[in-house]
Amino acid sequence: MANPILSLFGHSPIKPLQNHMQTVLQCVELLVPFFQAVIKEDWDAVEKTYNAIAKFESHADDQKQDIRLHLPKSLFMPINRSDLIQLLSKQDKICNTAKDIAGLMLGRKQIVPKKIAVDMAAYVKSAVAVAIEAKVVIDELDELIGSGFGGREIDRINRCITKLEKAEDKNDKRQILLRSKLHEIETSFPPVDAMFMYKTIEAIGHLADHAQSAGEQIQVIIAR
């Protein structure tokens, strides 16, 4: 029986990477309902959503392993194999971080203080928005190759990357605001809880950073 990954690579190594990014995004998008459940302190829903996040992360990991095993040693394409491996690694870090964040919150049954709940929800959504913009950039890669790295397609990708950078900048600003609001109330709850809340905020910022890095890997490919 033919290996489906090999059959995909028979046409292009790009599609499997785009499929992997689709799974990554499905994983990351679940952080929105996950944090909604955390804020409501609905721990059954939190656990259920965590399990769904873990399932997508596991699927993405399987896809990653298949791609690494079956990516041809020599590509008859204007893209270095090492650049595609690097892109895959960066995509993988996004969903790994999402699972880590969810595991941290569920493991401690970490409560989000009511005074920062709205800001936390907005912050999570803005981090997910960075991942969405990263996927938009990565989805353009096959069009770029199809155009022979044509100037019009490069311009299109650069516009997409500009949107990605703006989304990440918005997330950075939300992080600063959220940390400031947490600082104002941190003495009103246990120090360990405050420490883990800061750690969670930092991890969500890392997720957005990983998403931006994955999208900007396309610029590296173009530059070569």
Side-chain angles (χ1 to χ4, degrees):
M1 183 176 177
N3 186 304
I5 294 291
L6 283 174
S7 65
L8 282 172
F9 279 127
H11 295 92
S12 167
I14 304 306
K15 193 63 178 177
L17 273 89
Q18 291 173 330
N19 290 342
H20 179 262
M21 186 61 192
Q22 174 63 33
T23 304
V24 168
L25 185 58
Q26 288 174 300
C27 175
V28 169
E29 285 179 325
L30 284 171
L31 285 177
V32 174
F34 178 86
F35 271 89
Q36 289 172 346
V38 169
I39 288 167
K40 293 176 184 177
E41 298 179 38
D42 183 350
W43 297 107
D44 287 340
V46 170
E47 184 172 4
K48 183 178 179 180
T49 311
Y50 170 80
N51 290 337
I53 289 171
K55 185 176 180 179
F56 277 117
E57 191 274 339
S58 178
H59 180 41
D61 199 49
D62 289 342
Q63 289 176 305
K64 177 191 68 176
Q65 296 301 330
D66 278 340
I67 292 170
R68 283 180 171 172
L69 285 171
H70 298 111
L71 185 63
K73 297 295 183 183
S74 298
L75 299 177
F76 297 101
M77 302 177 66
I79 298 179
N80 291 336
R81 185 179 186 276
S82 61
D83 286 339
L84 294 183
I85 293 293
Q86 186 70 11
L87 174 59
L88 179 63
S89 177
K90 290 182 177 184
Q91 291 178 182
D92 187 56
K93 287 180 181 178
I94 304 169
C95 60
N96 285 349
T97 304
K99 182 184 175 184
D100 289 346
I101 292 165
L104 177 67
M105 298 299 287
L106 175 61
R108 299 194 76 255
K109 291 193 175 180
Q110 179 74 45
I111 294 172
V112 176
K114 299 301 181 186
K115 290 184 179 180
I116 65 168
V118 172
D119 292 286
M120 175 62 84
Y123 178 50
V124 171
K125 286 180 181 179
S126 71
V128 172
V130 180
I132 291 170
E133 294 298 339
K135 183 179 181 297
V136 170
V137 177
I138 292 162
D139 282 347
E140 290 293 323
L141 187 52
D142 50 356
E143 296 293 333
L144 176 67
I145 295 168
S147 72
F149 283 64
R152 183 176 296 180
E153 185 58 31
I154 289 176
D155 288 343
R156 178 180 173 84
I157 285 180
N158 284 334
R159 287 195 297 271
C160 291
I161 289 174
T162 297
K163 289 181 66 177
L164 169 65
E165 290 171 344
K166 287 181 178 178
E168 205 280 332
D169 183 61
K170 182 177 180 180
N171 183 256
D172 281 346
K173 290 175 180 176
R174 286 197 179 278
Q175 179 179 166
I176 292 168
L177 175 64
L178 183 56
R179 289 176 66 91
S180 176
K181 289 190 175 184
L182 177 58
H183 179 69
E184 291 174 1
I185 64 168
E186 67 180 28
T187 56
S188 65
F189 54 99
V192 173
D193 286 348
M195 180 191 72
F196 274 97
M197 187 56 38
Y198 278 117
K199 186 175 181 178
T200 300
I201 292 170
E202 182 180 25
I204 294 168
H206 287 328
L207 184 147
D209 291 341
H210 292 322
Q212 181 183 19
S213 181
E216 290 182 342
Q217 179 68 15
I218 307 304
Q219 279 188 322
V220 174
I221 292 170
I222 291 172
R224 293 192 196 280

